[in-house]
Structure formats: C-alpha cells, structure tokens
Amino acid sequence: MHMVTDVIEKQVVLRAPRSRVWKALSNAKEFGSWFGTKLEGGEFTPGAHVQGPITHKGYEHLMWNVTIERVEPEWHLSWRWHPSAIDANVDYSGEPTTLVVFELTEVPEGTLLRVTESGFDRLPPERRAYAFRSNEEGWQIQTENIAKHLGVSSGG
C-alpha cells in the first residue's frame, strides 16, 4: 500500500452561504478567532506577510506566520508557511514552505470548503513525518472549528 505523504486534503460542507464562509476565511481578525491566532487588520491580500501570536493553550509563546499567495474572492485563498514550526529555538526561515489552499464551491447543502496542503516532501527529512502527521490532524480540527465558528452543522 502506497501512503501519500506530500499532500493533505480535507473537505467539509458548511451549511452557510459562500459569502459568509469567505468572510470567515479572508478577514484576518475573524480568521484568527476560529483558527487560534490573534490577528489584526482587514482582508488578506496577495503578497502580505501576516503574523500574530498563537492562542492555543500551550502554544501562546509562538507566532503564526504566513505569506498570502493568492486571493480570488469567494473562491480561493492560499498561503505559504512553515508547517509545525513549534520550536521557538529553531529558525525555520531556511526551510521550504508548504502551500495551503482553501477553495469554496456552492453545493445544495451550503458551501463545500476544500483545504489542501502540499509540499511536505520538500521538508527536511527529520521534520517531514511529524509535520505531515501534525497537520493532518490539525486540518481536521480546523474544519470543525470553522463550522463551530459559523454556528452551522457540517458534513464530510
């Protein structure tokens, strides 16, 4: 059996209009509230470097850092980051980044949110498996978090 170790894909159907899901994804302050980071400012814009302290218990000493890649309103948001960069004593800036893509599609039940993260195979071998496993679990949690934030039920 071949195990995929380069790409994580998660999807969830959110019983909310696409415009509402888009706001939860693209507005920095609102995004931070469900994702677990304290962000200021308005909409994410291509090329922007966005950072803020992580608010998850036990990780408050870390900064969340991304570079916004692409923004296509109500359809596509993507960024690059250093996945699972959780050791405050390590400088991850020399490592390759992974690409996180959020895509929205209208479906009869509401909005299908598809989250894809790729590029794990480019990470240093000593971090690759941990980053993949950690983010595989993390994206499952985050799809549940956005559903809770929106106050809607979700389906896989």
Side-chain angles (χ1 to χ4, degrees):
M1 180 170 117
H2 176 69
M3 196 168 131
V4 176
T5 59
D6 189 52
V7 179
I8 296 169
E9 294 178 340
K10 300 289 180 189
Q11 63 181 31
V12 60
V13 174
L14 300 166
R15 298 183 198 321
R18 183 164 62 175
S19 60
R20 178 65 190 103
V21 177
W22 178 253
K23 184 175 182 238
L25 285 175
S26 64
N27 177 278
K29 191 169 188 169
E30 186 170 347
F31 176 89
S33 72
W34 65 265
F35 197 84
T37 184
K38 185 172 172 51
L39 302 175
E40 301 299 327
E43 303 297 306
F44 291 139
T45 57
H49 299 285
V50 181
Q51 70 175 24
I54 295 175
T55 59
H56 289 286
K57 186 172 173 62
Y59 296 93
E60 299 92 338
H61 62 289
L62 298 172
M63 291 295 283
W64 184 81
N65 292 286
V66 302
T67 300
I68 305 300
E69 277 279 303
R70 201 168 118 205
V71 178
E72 294 184 34
E74 298 198 15
W75 179 69
H76 179 104
L77 171 69
S78 58
W79 75 59
R80 291 197 163 278
W81 70 349
H82 296 284
S84 299
I86 60 170
D87 186 340
N89 298 315
V90 173
D91 177 6
Y92 297 95
S93 63
E95 287 187 6
T97 56
T98 56
L99 177 65
V100 174
V101 176
F102 296 91
E103 291 179 321
L104 302 179
T105 305
E106 286 184 28
V107 294
E109 303 87 354
T111 303
L112 173 66
L113 168 61
R114 184 175 297 114
V115 182
T116 306
E117 184 173 4
S118 60
F120 289 93
D121 285 351
R122 296 175 47 230
L123 297 179
E126 64 275 9
R127 278 196 5 89
R128 188 176 304 147
Y130 173 78
F132 185 87
R133 278 192 315 270
S134 176
N135 284 22
E136 174 83 24
E137 181 181 329
W139 287 119
Q140 182 62 44
I141 292 166
Q142 294 297 13
T143 57
E144 295 165 8
N145 286 349
I146 192 170
K148 289 176 197 165
H149 172 79
L150 293 169
V152 298
S153 59
S154 62

